Amino acid sequence: MKHDSFPYNDAEWNKIVENAFAPDAQPHVFSERYTRQKQDIQHQMEVSHMKQHKFHMKKSMTALVAVAAAVVILPTAVYASTQIRGYFQTKDGVYQQEVVIPKSESVSDQIMALQVGWMPEGMAIDPSCGKYRDANGRGITMSFYKMGSQEAALTHTVSYSVSQETLTCGNNTVLYAVTDTTGKSGEDIFDKDVWVAFPDSNYAVQFYATTDMTKEEIEKIAENLSLTPSDKETAELWDGEPREEVGGTDETYKFDDYTIQQIGDTVRSDFYDAEDADTDPYARITAKLDSVSVQDNFDGLPAINDIGEPMNYSQYLNADGTVQDDVRTWYSRGDGVNTLDTKIKEETVPQRVLVMHLTYTNESSITQEICVCPNLIQKNGDSMDYNEVACEPMTDTTYCNGTLGELKYGEFFLFSTDREHSKNNITNVAPGESVDATVAFLMDADEVQNLYADILGGGGQTVISLGDLQ
């Protein structure tokens, strides 16, 4: 979802700059949501359009943090040269290219920092995620790299490339690739994979840009990227393409592995009675599902999103006030090398809004912050499947996108409480105090049966039976 917070006023922006360059400035801690989005972008742009549940691309956030600190400011002492470096070469097929930036052996050992000299008007760093963005949702995710001593060249594979150009922007070499957007929907569609190589340097910048960023803007951004001497290394060491890390949701969950409770029962964490529970106050949180209901509209619900910020839901309603159907388009996966994704079919799926009213209690001895993060689970035969994506089942050869995908990414789309909160965390809950919250999920009409809820949200083995809802 889109959480706009721009534009900043001058005072706010000056404060961001001041904090970024303060001697005691701490590295920015990126949210789990942003980390997931960054991984999705890397997976989408670097590997294929395939949404895999078995692997998640993971890369150090160091490179991004370094760029977040490179606030837009015109440089003073800048290394300049006319040497042009970097090129594309066809790797395996018509839609796969390899970016190559040869290593220079004759450069100084001087540490260099990145300076971002220009961004389009209204576009600035969002301090919550380190991404350049504007109030219209346009975005750039930028990373700063340095070639390691073992690398003869920086090489990077671009799959699904439909066009590529090698440009000269000022003194910089710019490798500009545009990727196919078939099957992509929603906000933050990144179709531009851009690399900037500096003359007489083993540093490089990569940035992904959204579809609505123009080529002229990309060229001007690249032209105004530069390096300045520094006494601190802020670039991430490039050690090849990101590695795939095994993880995700490939594990099978069996119904018999769960303890089933009922609506109105108090749920304790699996570690509530552990010997070290007193040293882990989160273990002393209990939760209760007071009620659950299903409706075909947003009536009675506040106009806020999943972290309690204002949200306009009218765009998802029919003329009679009911929730729109989810129109899903199915695609056949290309390999990103010799074939692209192609449309197969469309289907229309009626929707329902599932509303849960919950109570959480702090049974520890200290003031707590309580995460409101329930999950829904559906019983399918003997297995228990977490409700993660709207278009299941996806396969190695097909996938789909829905028109309501922004609300149906597997988590609740609405969070409400009358207490002080930070996103979906209720803050300053005193020992022994109970707090109330409401969440809402968007569900397929035929998926409101055989449902269970993990209301503590920690993947525990105790769940609430929701029965067959209508």
Side-chain angles (χ1 to χ4, degrees):
M1 290 188 183
K2 176 181 170 185
H3 308 301
D4 290 330
S5 56
F6 286 93
Y8 292 106
N9 60 41
D10 290 342
E12 290 173 323
W13 179 245
N14 290 336
K15 186 63 175 178
I16 291 170
V17 175
E18 178 183 341
N19 291 340
F21 290 97
D24 58 348
Q26 298 298 311
H28 181 74
V29 178
F30 293 90
S31 68
E32 292 183 7
R33 179 182 298 276
Y34 176 74
T35 301
R36 290 198 303 270
Q37 292 173 338
K38 182 66 160 60
Q39 290 170 350
D40 286 345
I41 294 169
Q42 290 171 334
H43 186 71
Q44 168 185 304
M45 300 293 290
E46 296 176 349
V47 182
S48 73
H49 289 192
M50 180 175 179
K51 292 184 179 178
Q52 300 182 25
H53 296 276
K54 199 170 184 180
F55 299 103
H56 298 282
M57 301 309 297
K58 186 174 182 181
K59 197 178 221 178
S60 167
M61 299 302 292
T62 305
L64 191 73
V65 174
V67 173
V71 180
V72 177
I73 180 172
L74 291 176
T76 52
V78 179
Y79 279 10
S81 173
T82 58
Q83 179 185 351
I84 305 302
R85 304 170 53 240
Y87 54 90
F88 283 107
Q89 65 181 16
T90 300
K91 190 172 183 182
D92 295 313
V94 64
Y95 298 117
Q96 192 172 69
Q97 295 287 321
E98 186 171 61
V99 169
V100 180
I101 302 176
K103 184 177 179 182
S104 176
E105 299 294 342
S106 59
V107 298
S108 166
D109 292 332
Q110 170 66 53
I111 296 172
M112 305 297 285
L114 176 67
Q115 295 289 351
V116 182
W118 183 86
M119 278 286 165
E121 185 177 357
M123 182 167 286
I125 291 174
D126 181 345
S128 69
C129 66
K131 178 173 69 176
Y132 286 96
R133 54 183 288 186
D134 64 16
N136 297 318
R138 304 194 312 157
I140 289 177
T141 299
M142 188 178 290
S143 299
F144 183 38
Y145 295 107
K146 182 178 184 179
M147 280 178 257
S149 59
Q150 304 302 315
E151 299 293 329
L154 184 155
T155 60
H156 163 75
T157 300
V158 183
S159 298
Y160 289 89
S161 176
V162 292
S163 68
Q164 55 281 325
E165 294 182 70
T166 300
L167 308 169
T168 300
C169 298
N171 289 328
N172 298 333
T173 300
V174 179
L175 306 175
Y176 176 85
V178 178
T179 60
D180 183 49
T181 58
T182 300
K184 299 179 184 177
S185 62
E187 298 177 355
D188 289 350
I189 299 176
F190 290 79
D191 72 330
K192 300 173 184 69
D193 190 345
V194 183
W195 285 83
V196 180
F198 300 97
D200 297 327
S201 168
N202 286 324
Y203 290 89
V205 170
Q206 180 196 30
F207 60 89
Y208 299 118
T210 51
T211 54
D212 41 11
M213 294 293 297
T214 68
K215 181 182 176 183
E216 289 73 20
E217 289 174 321
I218 298 296
E219 290 184 77
K220 190 167 182 180
I221 292 170
E223 180 181 354
N224 286 277
L225 293 176
S226 58
L227 302 175
T228 58
S230 174
D231 58 2
K232 181 180 179 181
E233 187 65 81
T234 55
E236 179 181 356
L237 187 66
W238 179 262
D239 58 358
E241 295 287 0
R243 294 178 294 274
E244 291 184 346
E245 183 174 283
V246 176
T249 59
D250 199 41
E251 183 178 355
T252 300
Y253 300 91
K254 297 295 185 182
F255 178 76
D256 291 342
D257 295 334
Y258 288 85
T259 298
I260 310 300
Q261 293 187 211
Q262 304 303 314
I263 296 172
D265 290 346
T266 296
V267 177
R268 295 182 173 187
S269 77
D270 295 339
F271 308 102
Y272 187 92
D273 294 319
E275 290 184 3
D276 60 349
D278 288 333
T279 63
D280 180 10
Y282 289 100
R284 298 292 191 185
I285 298 298
T286 63
K288 183 173 63 170
L289 176 59
D290 300 308
S291 65
V292 59
S293 60
V294 173
Q295 56 195 62
D296 63 0
N297 51 48
F298 298 119
D299 292 356
L301 298 175
I304 54 180
N305 63 14
D306 57 333
I307 57 173
E309 294 180 343
M311 176 74 178
N312 179 10
Y313 290 109
S314 62
Q315 60 186 309
Y316 302 110
L317 294 175
N318 296 311
D320 63 359
T322 58
V323 179
Q324 294 174 358
D325 294 339
D326 192 25
V327 180
R328 296 176 186 164
T329 306
W330 287 83
Y331 299 89
S332 173
R333 300 184 191 278
D335 61 11
V337 180
N338 292 300
T339 59
L340 300 176
D341 298 4
T342 56
K343 178 179 175 180
I344 302 173
K345 65 177 182 178
E346 256 185 20
E347 62 179 345
T348 300
V349 184
Q351 298 297 298
R352 298 291 183 268
V353 177
L354 186 149
V355 182
M356 297 170 57
H357 297 286
L358 302 135
T359 298
Y360 294 85
T361 302
N362 176 13
E363 297 190 3
S364 73
S365 60
I366 63 172
T367 297
Q368 285 264 53
E369 180 174 299
I370 296 178
C371 178
V372 178
C373 41
N375 296 307
L376 291 179
I377 310 171
Q378 190 162 46
K379 183 176 183 291
N380 293 309
D382 294 330
S383 67
M384 299 284 274
D385 299 328
Y386 277 79
N387 182 49
E388 292 197 338
V389 292
C391 286
E392 288 284 17
M394 297 186 186
T395 70
D396 290 345
T397 59
T398 63
Y399 69 96
C400 84
N401 287 321
T403 53
L404 301 180
E406 190 174 68
L407 300 186
K408 290 179 66 61
Y409 56 88
E411 301 173 358
F412 48 88
F413 68 85
L414 178 147
F415 160 75
S416 175
T417 181
D418 59 3
R419 291 292 303 266
E420 178 184 356
H421 64 94
S422 174
K423 296 186 177 180
N424 58 305
N425 292 277
I426 301 177
T427 55
N428 299 317
V429 183
E433 186 178 13
S434 295
V435 292
D436 297 329
T438 297
V439 298
F441 297 80
L442 196 60
M443 304 287 296
D444 290 359
D446 61 357
E447 285 187 344
V448 293
Q449 292 82 38
N450 296 319
L451 280 177
Y452 296 79
D454 170 16
I455 58 176
L456 281 172
Q461 298 302 106
T462 301
V463 295
I464 300 294
S465 172
L466 304 185
D468 291 339
L469 301 169
Q470 300 297 325

